[in-house]
Amino acid sequence: MMSGRDLVSRAAPLLACLGLLGLWEIAALVLSTDSFPTAWVAIRAIPSILGDKESLINILDSLRRMAIGFAVGVIVSIPLGLMMGRSRLVASFFNPLLMVTYPVPKAALMPIIMLWLGVGDLAKTLVIFLGVSLPVIYHSFQGAKAVEEKMLWSGAAGNILFNSLDMGQYDTVYAMIIIIGAMGIGLDAAFENLRGKLVKWSEPSFEIPLSFA
Amino acid sequence: MKVAPSRPNIEDELAPARRQTNAMIAIDNVSHVFRTSGRQDHLALSNISLIIEDGAFVAILGPSGCGKSTLLYVVGGFVSPTEGLARVKGQAITGPGPDRGPVFQEFALFPWKSVLGNVMYGPRQQGVKSAEAEAQSRALIEMVGLKGFEHFYPKELSGGMKQRVALARTLAYHPAVLLMDEPFGALDAHTRTRLQNDLLNIWERDRKTVLFVTHSVDEAVFLSDRVVVMTRSPGRIKEVVEIDLPRPRRRSELLLDPRYQKYVVEIERMIDDTSEEQLRP
């Protein structure tokens, strides 16, 4: 049996969503301008968007960009962050760059990126990539740095994998790069496939070399 | 900074010939300097030479900061000495390896693995099949007295239990040498005594070579065949004391044995002397 308390804590995220929608509803009613519809009106518009082939194509395009930006971001960031955490040299090289870029809102970089790369998929994917990679680099860096030295030593002694003192577990790192890369490509293919099934009439886009149907 | 000039090898004067031929660990003129930016370089070890034969239980004793842990880390391959060389079974030590198993004061268990997972780590890394590694690990867990705790996580265990897991984890990959760095230093007196007894029982069964760093004189005399007394800053070997007490040792008998008491008093005096030297300007 679930106690009332458990039930409330399970339902908390749902309650938060409902609360937010409620506030939206009230705010829209109070303001009552054309450009700010009520939550209910907005929700009722969802089925028509999901039924519309144009919107579906656009949504899937966005999802694909997200998947690619995320996958590439993770592939680059996790190994880089881990290496920064384990090697002082790598850290002192990348850390200043990271610290300078980190606080800049990614949206503020949008105009510059648009100037460089135009408004195509590449620019959008790059923004997603930046948004993903900076926090991931930072947190893998901090995480790797915080690992207790004695624990690494304990691992190293019982292990044939680390043989040198720099603890470079490079074979695993590169294996992970390949695995995550494969996941990224696989996800992209899956999205493309799903898109092909849902919206058969649209042509697959080849703007980004990674995507294939 | 210049390392102090070498001096006669203490071990040569003291070691019987059998020790030379049967050496498990040979530390040859090892010095280590910690380079710190800003502050002066710190000479942690100065010209340490020591030979430890196969199956010996050797304690390294000294005041804190005398470099005794650093010496252990050199043998472990975790620290490369600035000068000199350490060998295990005649092979120069260049890094950590499964032939030398460390047990640290901080336990350093893998928090994301259960007791069983921690103990199975070594055998699994060495390619032992899962079922076999599990059977071996369960037997070891029972040996260190933790039967029934196989699926507990480190955070759910007491300090003494964690150290038992750490010992089992290290024994699981059959190291030729156990490197124990103040393993019972973080435990309360009662737990400490129990673990000392259990360690002796385990050791008397398979007689692995043990290098045991401690600052407790009682512990060193109770456990070891030989006590290496170190001085502080720079860390040198002051004296090597052979502990000629019968085994198996029982705490209740040993504490009443005048020979044991004599060793303790003698060694305590040596350490006091080194502290006196330390205080002189």
Side-chain angles (χ1 to χ4, degrees), chain A residues 148 150-165 167, chain B residues 73 77-78 80 97-98 102 104 106 108-111 121 125-126 169 173:
Chain A
E148 222 187 308
K150 300 283 164 64
M151 199 194 294
L152 280 173
W153 288 0
S154 299
N159 196 330
I160 327 153
L161 204 85
F162 311 67
N163 273 323
S164 61
L165 261 177
M167 303 291 172
Chain B
Y73 301 158
F78 309 125
S80 307
F104 298 107
E106 301 89 339
L109 297 174
F110 306 131
Y121 168 80
Q125 289 296 327
Q126 293 181 329
R169 177 180 65 179
Y173 50 85

Side-chain angles (χ1 to χ4, degrees), chain B residues 78-90:
Chain B
F78 309 125
V79 168
S80 307
T82 320
E83 274 180 41
L85 188 67
R87 294 170 197 276
V88 60
K89 289 190 226 162

Side-chain angles (χ1 to χ4, degrees), chain B residues 68-69 103-105 163 180-186 213-215:
Chain B
K68 53 191 192 298
S69 291
V103 178
F104 298 107
Q105 183 178 356
Q163 198 54 289
M180 308 189 81
D181 182 22
E182 301 202 36
F184 310 142
V213 165
T214 179
H215 58 249

Side-chain angles (χ1 to χ4, degrees), chain A residues 108-125:
Chain A
L109 295 175
M110 202 61 195
I112 305 171
I113 292 171
M114 272 160 61
L115 280 177
W116 289 342
L117 302 173
V119 283
D121 263 11
L122 197 55
K124 293 172 193 161
T125 312

Side-chain angles (χ1 to χ4, degrees), chain A residues 73-86:
Chain A
V74 163
I75 291 167
V76 173
S77 311
I78 292 179
L80 180 60
L82 292 181
M83 281 191 264
M84 283 170 72
R86 297 314 319 160

Side-chain angles (χ1 to χ4, degrees), chain B residues 118-120 122-123 126 136-137 140 167-175:
Chain B
N118 267 282
V119 180
M120 279 173 69
Q126 293 181 329
Q136 290 173 7
S137 302
L140 271 171
L167 179 62
R169 177 180 65 179
T170 301
L171 291 174
Y173 50 85
H174 308 294

Side-chain angles (χ1 to χ4, degrees), chain B residues 15-34:
Chain B
R18 63 169 171 83
R19 210 180 283 161
Q20 298 278 1
T21 52
N22 201 14
M24 172 60 84
I25 301 166
I27 300 167
D28 189 16
N29 261 306
V30 161
S31 296
H32 190 68
V33 180
F34 284 110

